Amino acid sequence: MKTFSLKPLAIAMSGLTLASLGQLSFAQNDEKPVDPIEELVVVGYAKSIQNSLDTKRNADTVVQAISAADLAGLPDVSIADALARVPGITVTRSGGQASTIQVRGMGEGFVFSTLNGREQVSPNGTRAMEFSQFPSELIQSVEVYMSPKASLIEGGVAGSVELKTVNPLDMTEDQRFVIGVRGSYNDQAGDIYGAEAYGQRYTLSFQKKLLDDTLGVALGYARLVQPRAASRFEHYNYEATPLSLINDAGVNIHVVDENFNQLPTDDRPFNVAISDGFELFQTGGEEVRDGFVGALQFEPNDHWSIQSDIFYSKFTSDSYSRGFRVQPLRNSAITNVVLWNNSAVVGGEFGVSDQSPTSFDLQVNSNDVTQENELIAGGFNVEWRQDALKLSLDLSHSEASGVQADGVVRAHLYRPIEDPVPGLDPYERDPDQSMVYLLDGIDLPSVNFSRNYAEYDSSGVSNLRMTNYERYPRINDDVISAVRMDMEYEFDMPLIRSVEAGVRYSERNHQDRRQVFVYGDGAAGTIDTDYSLPITTENSDIVKWKGDFDRFPSFLAIDGDAIIREAHANGLVLTGVPDFSDVEAVPRSLEPAARWGEGRDWSMKQRSDIDENITALYLQANIETSLFGKDLTGNIGLRHVRTDQSSVALINVNGSVEDGAVEICDEVGECRSEFAYQRLGVEYSDNLPSLNLNYQLAENDQLRLAVARVLSRPPIARLAAPDSEGTVTVQAGDIPTFNYGSNTSPFLRPFIADQVDISYEHYLPEYNGAFVIAGYHREIKSFIQDITYQDFDFRAAGFDVPDTWIITDQGGVDVEVPVENGDYSTSINNLDGGFIRGLEISYTQTFNFLPDVWSGLGVSTSYSLTDSEINVSNPLEGIETAGSLPFPGLVEKSANFTVFYSYENFETRLSTTYQDSFVGETRNVNLQPIVYAPETLLDYQASYKFDSGVDLIFSVSNLTNEPNRSYMFDEELTRTLQWFGRTFYLGANYSF
């Protein structure tokens, strides 16, 4: 293992010495004159800025802060909204709301978050904190550590976010009671079928000091009911297998321009990339979040401090998506195509084949996603102080559970069979339909269908029938328990103020399992009675698009639950019957379950049971001295971390008892004995040195330097043992190929980087502001990368690959053909490394020198620039200009600007955030990145405080209705276009 060189530290300290200017005597705080800033600061947002700057100025690391006044004073929906205004931080929206964050150009996977200094688990299988779980009203402050120190828990290459709940003994009053009520309105809900426009938000908090201010109690509750409304077009990923422009019958597919005029054939390509298809959906639903916080603080004397706190959050979401889904394009009867750069299909005319009417789906979908997450976190901390010695013990526990159930209802055009066979479905898929579409980059495309998918006959029966009803629940459980002991001893020395040491041990277990219920796909040939089901005016409605989407065809919103329940009541949902068997089919349950049968053994194999045990020790010296007559403070330390990670693997040992084969039963009672459980894993250690220095150049000027080695562990779910045994798929030309794909491994190690941060801070106490410029450089030593090897020699690598495969040729005859090598997709630790570096500039000022009515005017702005030599490869080498893409999550340019104003009891602010395009961390099975287009968000907030303790609050989120836009490789290759509308908030707080 490489050791961290201390040479950069010596060089940096020498440079810091040379940078010193003049002489300045070290003065204690109690010797300084009264700072006039206390007379100039106003309450509200300006006060929150002062608190944030004070935290930043006095910190011993590079840190950004958000105070309680900023969090509670104006209506941010969650902590993520508030973090969007911090320099160097950008957010990604989900459902129109800020959800995850990027710090200094790096995505959520590189941001470590804690609550009251304790690691938290997540209900979604990642390490990223679900900020939507935390109501901003119940959080006292947020600090973002841009540089680490040895005493902080490791885990954030980009930075660490520390959320703190209230400490009741810290408040100035003896008692505080706050009640808040707010309503919301979304102006796009009227365009979405079934969407609710109005939401509610309630908060209640109580703090009180008792027993002569030695005992403090805090209780809080917040409830959010937030409707969702969005219109979305999503273009699916381009497939790795190219499309030949000569079809199976040897007929050329025409290439046309955007006006569908045929182009010359001189330079037409032979093969082009083609997308799997697209969808056009309306999305609605509702999110409900309940959050509880409780804290008990006891300080009976100057020696003891005892604190216990608990946080509970329950988040439920019920969303639906209704509209059209078209796929797979390559299986259609293609008349012509429109190409981008002569290499990728961006439009054309596609029809359903008479010979194979089920191979290309022009379907109407009514899908839903239900989600229920619960999080509980608590801890007990006791601290003892005696003279120069401080000892502390902290016990913590956090657990999260999440259930996300994806539901899909598929409907197609059908026609009656002329001579139906008794006992079989009397309807067949109608081949008389086609579709024309043309992408328009990051603007809405044009889409037209040859048939009407929103009509009924005179009896109220649609020509659409429900083909499939599907449910796919995913269940996650994540638990961590930790114990931490810390010691600090203060010295009366000219260089070292104190020494800290400590140890932390944590045990984490993550489990994930799948369930499934499907009606209508034949269950891999085991069920032949899942017939199409009728759609009528009783279980569907006609939906017409509105707004900018009114150009698109109408469709039916289908109540699939009602249809499947009626079919089940009528005895139409039956089990399969083995061939040549006298067993009669019986009704089968509609409840999803993990099962070996029906061709759904993946629901038994895609399970994970991951253990991660971490032991960390640290030693840190806190520096307080003078250099050339100027104050020098900071810390230097080393953190040693030992990790033991493992995952249970399901191995096919062909029933060998000697190799550990056991009987494993599914949730419907079927058992198999060919598999064995094995635990796979790895142990490793990391040494993480750190240095933080703060040099006081003048009374209001300081220079900071931070040097450290940092790490970020893989998302917890990616430590699962691979669940794939490989599959055989029949590609174009009737060629069976063996493919293997898994992006999980219990042997993945952390992302490692050495980083240097340097910043200059100039404070403007008379204007309640500051100017800060910071630069940073991260030298990446190892990062996790998804990679695909094409034409991989599986047999040479020891994979169990079948020699031949049975396919049906064009004449309908079954033939046996050899199985060829396909793609091998996996995840590795890339040791090539590279750098990520950036520059941040921020400026804050209150114009209190203006005439009285304007003295409350101020601005806060920042700009961040990030660069990296690390790229990810593009798996589709046939698409031009797409050989590589920036590192996922890296935002090259971002900025925010806030103008705020207060006068007497009135306060208002207008905030805008901008982020440049960046590669998202979401990947599909073909490992294709998604590039998010640049976006600028504008939010407005205002409040008025009455002397009675009542505050009126008004705000508008996404004032300009900025959409989410993403693309693949180039803006002309559309990925997702989604509009959420504006959300208006109006409410009041009452405190006493």
Side-chain angles (χ1 to χ4, degrees), residues 253-265:
I253 298 174
H254 297 302
V255 178
V256 297
D257 62 19
E258 60 184 15
N259 296 316
F260 286 81
N261 297 315
Q262 187 169 340
L263 294 175
T265 59

Side-chain angles (χ1 to χ4, degrees), residues 863-927:
Y863 176 79
S864 299
L865 181 65
T866 307
D867 182 32
S868 176
E869 67 176 358
I870 303 176
N871 295 310
V872 294
S873 60
N874 165 32
L876 298 184
E877 298 178 356
I879 296 184
E880 297 178 11
T881 73
S884 64
L885 289 165
F887 187 75
L890 192 76
V891 181
E892 183 177 340
K893 300 173 185 176
S894 63
N896 61 59
F897 179 83
T898 298
V899 56
F900 56 91
Y901 172 76
S902 62
Y903 180 69
E904 296 182 346
N905 294 341
F906 175 72
E907 180 180 11
T908 186
R909 76 180 180 213
L910 183 67
S911 304
T912 181
T913 60
Y914 165 81
Q915 64 181 22
D916 201 3
S917 61
F918 69 96
V919 177
E921 296 184 273
T922 302
R923 305 291 190 92
N924 76 328
V925 293
N926 291 328
L927 307 181

Side-chain angles (χ1 to χ4, degrees), residues 115-325:
L115 178 65
N116 294 327
R118 302 165 184 139
E119 183 178 3
Q120 302 298 301
V121 292
S122 171
N124 60 10
T126 71
R127 297 185 190 273
M129 181 177 282
E130 287 279 346
F131 290 105
S132 60
Q133 295 279 93
F134 298 92
S136 58
E137 297 92 341
L138 303 185
I139 301 299
Q140 176 73 10
S141 65
V142 182
E143 295 179 358
V144 183
Y145 293 91
M146 302 298 194
S147 65
K149 55 183 178 179
S151 58
L152 291 177
I153 302 176
E154 74 288 342
V157 168
S160 296
V161 179
E162 163 70 353
L163 276 62
K164 296 180 181 179
T165 55
V166 296
N167 289 328
L169 291 183
D170 294 342
M171 68 175 178
T172 57
E173 307 97 321
D174 291 331
Q175 177 177 299
R176 182 187 303 160
F177 207 125
V178 181
I179 301 173
V181 179
R182 296 170 188 166
S184 66
Y185 169 77
N186 182 279
D187 67 355
Q188 187 160 317
D191 294 345
I192 308 300
Y193 172 83
E196 176 59 54
Y198 296 95
Q200 307 90 42
R201 186 174 182 177
Y202 312 99
T203 59
L204 182 68
S205 65
F206 170 75
Q207 297 181 62
K208 187 173 180 61
K209 295 179 182 179
L210 302 165
L211 304 179
D212 297 326
D213 294 348
T214 61
L215 178 66
V217 179
L219 298 170
Y221 168 72
R223 178 177 178 83
L224 173 70
V225 180
Q226 183 78 21
R228 301 184 64 179
S231 301
R232 182 178 87 246
F233 171 81
E234 181 173 348
H235 188 226
Y236 298 154
N237 291 298
Y238 283 92
E239 299 179 332
T241 303
L243 170 72
S244 172
L245 293 184
I246 300 178
N247 64 23
D248 294 340
V251 177
N252 289 335
I253 298 174
H254 297 302
V255 178
V256 297
D257 62 19
E258 60 184 15
N259 296 316
F260 286 81
N261 297 315
Q262 187 169 340
L263 294 175
T265 59
D266 297 343
D267 61 345
R268 61 176 278 153
F270 183 75
N271 293 319
V272 295
I274 188 169
S275 161
D276 183 51
F278 64 84
E279 62 188 44
L280 188 61
F281 280 166
Q282 291 187 7
T283 300
E286 188 176 75
E287 298 175 352
V288 179
R289 181 189 65 204
D290 291 287
F292 302 86
V293 64
L296 188 67
Q297 190 176 6
F298 182 50
E299 295 183 0
N301 51 49
D302 293 336
H303 301 290
W304 289 97
S305 176
I306 302 172
Q307 184 168 345
S308 180
D309 54 78
I310 187 169
F311 182 89
Y312 172 79
S313 177
K314 183 176 182 179
F315 179 85
T316 60
S317 173
D318 190 355
S319 64
Y320 57 83
S321 296
R322 298 175 175 132
F324 294 102
R325 175 176 288 171

Side-chain angles (χ1 to χ4, degrees), residues 148-153 618-620 635-639 688 690:
K149 55 183 178 179
S151 58
L152 291 177
I153 302 176
Y618 76 91
L619 180 64
Q620 176 178 301
N635 56 73
I636 184 170
L638 175 69
R639 190 175 186 90
L688 308 174
S690 61

